Every structure is written in structure tokens, then in C-alpha cells.
Amino acid sequence: MTPYFILSLFLHHLAFLLAGPLCRNLTHAATGGGRWTLLKPNIGITAMHMQLLPNDRVVIFDRTDFGPSNISLPNHKCRLDPHDIVLKSDCTAHSIEYDVVSNSLRPLTVLTDVWCSSGSLSPDGRLIQTGGFNDGDRAVRVFKPCNGFDCDWQEIKYGLNAERWYATNHILPDGRQIIVGGRRQFNYEFYPKTGSTNRAYSLPILVETNEPKIENNLYPFVFLNVDGNLFIFANNRAVLFDYSKGIVVKTYPNMPDGNPRSYPSTGSAVLLPLKNLQGRAIQAEVLVCGGAPKGSYTSARMGQFVGALKTCGGSK
């Protein structure tokens, strides 16, 4: 185990916006080669979530409680939701399937609010999306890709044991997903359910890293380690967790500066490429970058904004 190290970041940021009234065929050549092309004048919704599917189509979806979108549901369908805080009856789509090859799209039907939900692809190519806001906080949504036009979201409104808003999903070797945390949820659960896993299980690191009124442990960073355990990072610390036994097998040093890195401080994390060194065991390395200084969230709510962190931390 190697302690966290601090690096300076010098990054260039590039944003690419798909939604909005954009001009067709507008291109821009990059100095290092390559070219951006705006493929559609308007895809109708904002891409809060996107997922590339095995058939090279992209599912895009957005929250349902922010008003109507710019694309209608097919066949005069409407979403009737008495619990929605904005639209009780909504005949616009909040999800689309985009076909990259043909540069075409079709509207899909999302019935519950996917705002800050989480998900992952299953081994058979299905997108499993869980949780969200309001009436979507316990929902499980399944999209099974097809080559025709008949596939759409299938929803299980109470498919989760706990309300999951800002949780993290990770695929496991046996094909299940583990769903970790969420707002005021200091636990985890599995999907699909079996008789032996049909409940939520306590996860102490989420209790230990919770800050009242700030909750800097949302959307925790989760990676499957080479030994089968899970690396879980929340706020400013990490553990190696044996999810099959429900025990912590290793506690890593805290970030030296003590600053939060997970949502709402909103840093990012990546599992670096694995190195197979002859005669030595393969080790996994995780790099956590960015975040916000302590107190930033409270300051922002008072209209005082501070710069993001320019540092990274790594562990193996």
C-alpha cells in the first residue's frame, strides 16, 4: 500500500454540447488533428445521463421534473404522474435513443424521475438504471437494446430496498450490480435480488464520512480490485471492502489535505491501466482528482465561490 500523493494539475477542459438549437454540419478543426461535428440541430433533451450500448446506439435521458422537453412521446402517449412536482401530465419524452450510424433518434418513455440516478451495463448488454428523485428513488429501469424500434424502458417502481439518490453502481463478477450509498443511505444493496440478498447492508465508511447539511460522501467512487474486493472512496478517505462478507479488509490513509473529493465537491476518479509485471502480483492503482476545499459548499450557498482543487491523490 502506498500513501496518497499530491500532484499539480494542468488540464485543458473541452465541453461539447449536443442539446439546443445548434446549426447542422458546423465543424471545428482541432490544432492537434481531428474535428468536431454537430450532428443534429436539436436532440430534444439535455444529456444528464448517457450510455453507449453494445449495438453502437446511445441512450440519453434527463430528469422529468424540470418541465417539458423539446421532443414528444410517440403515438400521442403521455406520462401521468400525480407525484411530479412540475408536470402531472407530460406528453414529452425525457429519454431518447440516438443511432450514431444513421444520425437519427427516437423518443423513449421514462415514467419516474431519473434525476441523479445511477446505473451500469449488465453482461448481456442491458442498461440497469436505479434510483433517482421523488417517485424514482426506489425504481429500477431496464433498457434492453434491440436493432429495431420496439425496445423501450421497462420500470420496476419499487425494485430497490432503499431510496437511492446520488448512489453509485458497480458491476460484480457474477453479473449482479452493487448499489452503494445515496443521500442519507449509509448502506448498500444488490440487483437483481435473490432470497439471500433481498435487503440493504450497513456500510460504516458512509457514516464516518457524512457531514451534516453538506454530505460530501455522495456518488462515492467504487472500483473492483484485482483481489475481488471493492475500493470505495467517500469524502476524503477510502477502504478496501469485502462485499461478500460485509467487512473492511484495509483502511487507506486519508487525503493529506483533508479536503473532500466526492459529490457535492465533485472531483473524479479513475482506475489506471493494470500492469502485469513479471514475477510480481498485479496491483491496481486508483487516481482521485479535483474536488473542492473544505467549506466551499457552504460558501457557495452564500454566493461566495472558491476555486476547485488542483490536486490529485493516488493509492494502490
Side-chain angles (χ1 to χ4, degrees):
M1 184 271 297
T2 302
Y4 285 108
F5 58 88
I6 300 298
L7 303 173
S8 293
L9 282 182
F10 299 97
L11 298 177
H12 296 287
H13 297 280
L14 179 63
F16 179 50
L17 184 64
L18 284 174
L22 305 176
C23 299
R24 187 184 295 271
N25 297 326
L26 178 65
T27 61
H28 177 70
T31 56
R35 182 180 297 271
W36 287 111
T37 301
L38 299 180
L39 301 176
K40 297 290 293 185
N42 194 321
I43 64 169
I45 67 171
T46 301
M48 174 180 280
H49 302 274
M50 296 179 64
Q51 177 65 55
L52 176 65
L53 300 173
N55 61 357
D56 284 339
R57 297 181 184 179
V58 180
V59 168
I60 301 173
F61 47 107
D62 189 18
R63 59 191 292 185
T64 61
D65 65 346
F66 210 62
S69 71
N70 289 328
I71 185 170
S72 298
L73 286 168
N75 303 320
H76 306 289
K77 291 193 298 185
C78 294
R79 182 179 64 92
L80 303 177
D81 187 352
H83 302 290
D84 194 284
I85 60 177
V86 177
L87 294 174
K88 309 300 181 185
S89 177
D90 183 7
C91 301
T92 63
H94 297 275
S95 178
I96 66 165
E97 181 191 60
Y98 175 65
D99 189 330
V100 178
V101 176
S102 64
N103 187 29
S104 62
L105 59 85
R106 65 185 184 93
L108 302 175
T109 307
V110 167
L111 298 177
T112 55
D113 200 346
V114 299
W115 178 14
C116 291
S117 56
S118 54
S120 183
L121 283 178
S122 62
D124 62 4
R126 293 176 302 153
L127 173 59
I128 310 294
Q129 193 74 17
T130 60
F133 180 63
N134 198 11
D135 63 350
D137 55 12
R138 288 183 57 191
V140 174
R141 306 168 198 86
V142 181
F143 186 87
K144 184 179 181 179
C146 64
N147 292 324
F149 300 96
D150 297 329
C151 43
D152 205 341
W153 288 102
Q154 303 297 318
E155 298 200 28
I156 307 167
K157 190 170 184 179
Y158 298 104
L160 298 179
N161 291 101
E163 300 171 351
R164 305 286 174 188
W165 193 26
Y166 299 98
T168 297
N169 294 31
H170 200 293
I171 193 74
L172 299 174
D174 62 6
R176 293 179 299 163
Q177 289 189 27
I178 187 170
I179 307 164
V180 181
R183 193 173 188 193
R184 303 188 185 100
Q185 295 294 344
F186 312 117
N187 52 62
Y188 63 96
E189 62 181 285
F190 300 96
Y191 188 84
K193 306 296 183 185
T194 64
S196 60
T197 62
N198 192 20
R199 65 183 183 92
Y201 303 84
S202 176
L203 188 56
I205 186 175
L206 297 180
V207 177
E208 297 160 3
T209 55
N210 184 57
E211 299 177 50
K213 298 183 180 180
I214 301 176
E215 301 173 287
N216 264 312
N217 60 358
L218 303 178
Y219 275 147
F221 306 138
V222 181
F223 298 99
L224 184 67
N225 193 30
V226 293
D227 62 3
N229 296 314
L230 290 174
F231 176 91
I232 301 177
F233 181 100
N235 197 326
N236 57 15
R237 54 174 294 195
V239 298
L240 193 63
F241 186 70
D242 185 338
Y243 63 87
S244 63
K245 298 179 180 179
I247 59 173
V248 173
V249 296
K250 180 184 291 186
T251 300
Y252 295 93
N254 289 13
M255 281 280 188
D257 59 8
N259 286 316
R261 308 283 175 155
S262 51
Y263 189 88
S265 292
T266 315
S268 57
V270 64
L271 176 66
L272 298 178
L274 300 178
K275 298 177 182 178
N276 189 0
L277 304 176
Q278 291 184 351
R280 296 173 57 185
I282 297 176
Q283 282 189 311
E285 296 181 84
V286 174
L287 186 66
V288 179
C289 290
K294 282 186 176 181
S296 298
Y297 182 75
T298 303
S299 297
R301 298 191 68 174
M302 299 173 61
Q304 301 171 359
F305 302 99
V306 299
L309 296 172
K310 299 179 180 180
T311 56
C312 291
S315 187
K316 61 181 178 179

